[in-house]
Amino acid sequence: MSIEECLRAYPDVPLPIMIKTEALRLGTRFSPEALAALRGVQTPFKGYTIFSGDRGTTVTARERIPHTFTLEDATPVAVRVNVNSPYYIHYREGEFSFTDEHGPVAKVGFIPAPSWLNNCLEDGTAFQAIAFPSQADKILCTLHHYCEFWKFGKQCLFCDSSWFLRVKKRRETGIVAAARPEQVARVLGVAFQESGRRHLTITGGTVLSKVRGKDEVSFFCDYLNAIREAFGGLWWSAILQIVAHTGDELRRLRETGIPGLAMNMEVWDRNLFQVICPGKAEYIGWEEWQRRMFEAVELFGRGRILSNFVAGVEMARPFGFKTAMEAVKSTLQGFDYLMSHGVLPRKDYWTPDDGSALKGQQSPPLEYFIELERGYLELRLKHGFSFPYVAHCRSCTANDVVADWDYHFVKLPEATKEKNAKGPGECSERVAPPELKTRNLRT
Ligand code: SF4
């Protein structure tokens, strides 16, 4: 389908949302002209994050493929390379453009690179392998690139993390599975000294046994405490992604001062959770995972416990829902239930990555994503969860269209700009996007 055909099918959906939805759903590729022109561009390149997100190829840093492109209204879009995508980034007469089968659709740009982008620690570890400036307003910090669910063959079926780590180590220098806490603190100290990026997402693979003699919570707390010290005892707007914990472990995480946690369920339907997330199902379980999230809400507060869902994976073959509307209905029921308990679900669109068990599968239809977003927005309004979220603003959500639906469909307050900073880097800015001037470059 061309972008025009998509817009005809959903005439109320604005162009930036449609471009982003399609680019996340089906991926993009780069024309030879764009690849040549990118040699002169400085932007964070793909290859340092925990997941690849690619199909038909595996991009590492040496290919110099941008991690994110932006539309003229500053909509950030994560680049997921798919060699068979109908969409590509092209370069002609001094401009990059998002292009479909009929030609250029909209101009694109790339997010600025920070000055420290190519720095390395004394032992050769690349700063980017620890702190990746993934969006214009965000650092993605990976503490542990290896997930022990893989060791036991219990990894989530959509995940390619440990496979991707092996590829990166083979092809690149400066890649480490787990930098030490003092190294992480030092790199983040440098990264946040430069103005521009205010939000921090901390992630890492699951630790089931011990790493450096520490269990998962002790291992992660060492990092969180070192990072807090690097920030002068205060936290920037930050969130830690970790499996669901309970009791004393949860309290220890709270004591580090981290403002929020993301305990990612990934898929709502109970039977599909068992199949798609076998490690999470076996070690914690569907019901217990939720109970622990609700316990965490008591400690951290409403809206400060997030849970990611891999949108669309509930349609994976052969076990998934057969129709888009069945899948949407199931997932929205889960979102409604979680929001009613103070948990804020978020989404990351599924791509059947080459290093995952679901390699080669078809992406869900456009209908699934449009109807899911419509329903999600309604639920957010019903439960009173406004955007931005903790550690997420419009400039940091390149993998999710939540900010875009919010900006285009939710009436802005009378003052179009609202700032009520709650701490260093805490951001609740909500601004109207400028109009996307270039609706169509085709002449
Ligand atoms: S918990 Fe699942 S998604 Fe996360 S790194 Fe491990 S296997 Fe991958």
Side-chain angles (χ1 to χ4, degrees):
M1 264 210 302
S2 69
I3 290 292
E4 267 98 350
E5 285 168 318
C6 298
L7 290 168
R8 271 200 294 277
Y10 297 96
D12 63 324
V13 175
L15 177 66
I17 293 183
M18 193 56 83
I19 292 174
K20 186 169 179 177
T21 304
E22 283 294 271
L24 294 178
R25 184 175 82 91
L26 296 176
T28 45
R29 55 199 164 87
F30 286 73
S31 70
E33 293 83 356
L35 290 174
L38 279 166
R39 285 189 206 116
V41 171
Q42 273 305 322
T43 186
F45 292 109
K46 276 170 70 68
Y48 286 104
T49 51
I50 188 165
F51 308 116
S52 76
D54 300 328
R55 286 174 262 184
T57 182
T58 305
V59 176
T60 52
R62 66 182 175 189
E63 277 90 19
R64 291 178 65 84
I65 300 289
H67 183 268
T68 299
F69 69 81
T70 52
L71 301 177
E72 276 195 300
D73 67 348
T75 301
V77 186
V79 171
R80 295 160 170 202
V81 175
N82 175 3
V83 296
N84 295 314
S85 174
Y87 307 115
Y88 60 100
I89 304 295
H90 190 42
Y91 182 80
R92 192 185 63 176
E93 294 171 4
E95 282 180 355
F96 290 95
S97 58
F98 181 85
T99 306
D100 68 9
E101 61 194 17
H102 299 307
V105 179
K107 275 195 234 176
V108 304
F110 303 103
I111 62 171
S115 64
W116 49 267
L117 189 72
N118 296 316
N119 288 9
C120 289
L121 292 167
E122 292 74 15
D123 66 359
T125 302
F127 271 35
Q128 295 185 75
I130 296 172
F132 186 72
S134 59
Q135 316 302 335
D137 201 353
K138 182 178 183 176
I139 305 274
L140 177 62
C141 175
T142 306
L143 303 179
H144 191 224
H145 286 258
Y146 183 73
C147 174
E148 288 196 323
F149 283 140
W150 281 75
K151 194 158 108 185
F152 303 105
K154 301 280 181 188
Q155 70 269 26
C156 305
L157 301 194
F158 54 82
C159 177
D160 74 347
S161 65
S162 293
W163 175 86
F164 189 39
L165 175 63
R166 283 197 296 275
V167 175
K168 285 181 287 192
K169 279 191 153 179
R170 212 167 43 235
R171 290 201 208 156
E172 303 291 340
T173 54
I175 303 290
V176 281
R180 292 190 306 278
E182 62 277 15
Q183 292 179 309
V184 172
R186 189 167 146 225
V187 171
L188 288 178
V190 172
F192 279 100
Q193 239 165 34
E194 191 162 307
S195 66
R197 290 178 170 81
R198 298 168 295 180
H199 299 145
L200 175 62
T201 293
I202 305 170
T203 193
T206 301
V207 176
L208 296 171
S209 54
K210 294 204 167 170
V211 178
R212 299 187 195 125
K214 307 233 170 174
D215 62 22
E216 178 167 89
V217 169
S218 303
F219 177 74
F220 281 123
C221 283
D222 281 355
Y223 287 94
L224 298 183
N225 289 325
I227 295 167
R228 187 185 54 195
E229 288 315 307
F231 293 166
L234 291 168
W235 271 103
W236 284 64
S237 184
I239 196 143
L240 169 70
Q241 301 193 333
I242 191 167
V243 295
H245 284 280
T246 181
D248 188 50
E249 292 171 333
L250 207 46
R251 276 189 291 281
R252 281 161 55 212
L253 287 166
R254 184 74 187 110
E255 280 161 15
T256 65
I258 183 91
L261 301 178
M263 301 173 164
N264 301 334
M265 272 194 81
E266 323 289 14
V267 61
W268 172 254
D269 179 85
R270 188 181 195 134
N271 294 329
L272 292 177
F273 180 75
Q274 313 270 3
V275 177
I276 295 173
C277 303
K280 293 183 176 190
E282 186 176 321
Y283 285 85
I284 297 173
W286 184 82
E287 231 158 2
E288 176 63 9
W289 195 285
Q290 291 165 60
R291 193 200 65 71
R292 292 182 182 192
M293 288 198 291
F294 303 155
E295 183 185 340
V297 169
E298 296 292 312
L299 268 182
F300 284 79
R302 186 175 183 276
R304 289 190 171 261
I305 299 303
L306 274 56
S307 189
N308 186 60
F309 285 81
V310 180
V313 78
E314 68 274 37
M315 292 191 74
R317 296 282 172 260
F319 34 75
F321 291 107
K322 301 290 177 281
T323 69
M325 290 318 290
E326 281 175 298
V328 167
K329 187 174 167 205
S330 161
T331 299
L332 290 180
Q333 273 172 356
F335 287 1
D336 196 13
Y337 181 69
L338 294 178
M339 286 188 195
S340 71
H341 286 78
V343 172
L344 187 48
R346 54 174 289 273
K347 297 156 275 97
D348 200 342
Y349 287 11
W350 174 45
T351 49
D353 297 349
D354 277 359
S356 75
L358 300 176
K359 172 185 177 175
Q361 296 226 3
Q362 292 288 312
S363 296
L366 177 59
E367 177 192 17
Y368 166 86
F369 294 98
I370 299 292
E371 298 309 330
L372 183 76
E373 295 302 339
R374 263 192 231 291
Y376 180 73
L377 178 60
E378 277 171 23
L379 289 173
R380 276 206 305 109
L381 298 178
K382 172 180 151 188
H383 291 284
F385 284 111
S386 61
F387 191 82
Y389 305 154
V390 57
H392 292 79
C393 70
R394 180 169 187 251
S395 306
C396 352
T397 48
N399 282 300
D400 185 355
V401 292
V402 56
D404 313 294
W405 278 76
D406 192 81
Y407 281 105
H408 288 280
F409 290 101
V410 179
K411 197 170 174 290
L412 287 167
E414 217 152 277
T416 53
K417 203 167 183 183
E418 217 179 54
K419 281 187 180 177
N420 52 0
K422 296 176 183 121
E426 186 86 14
C427 172
S428 61
E429 188 177 333
R430 187 168 187 274
V431 290
E435 200 184 329
L436 185 62
K437 293 188 203 85
T438 313
R439 264 197 80 82
N440 198 329
L441 291 178
R442 293 168 192 160
T443 53

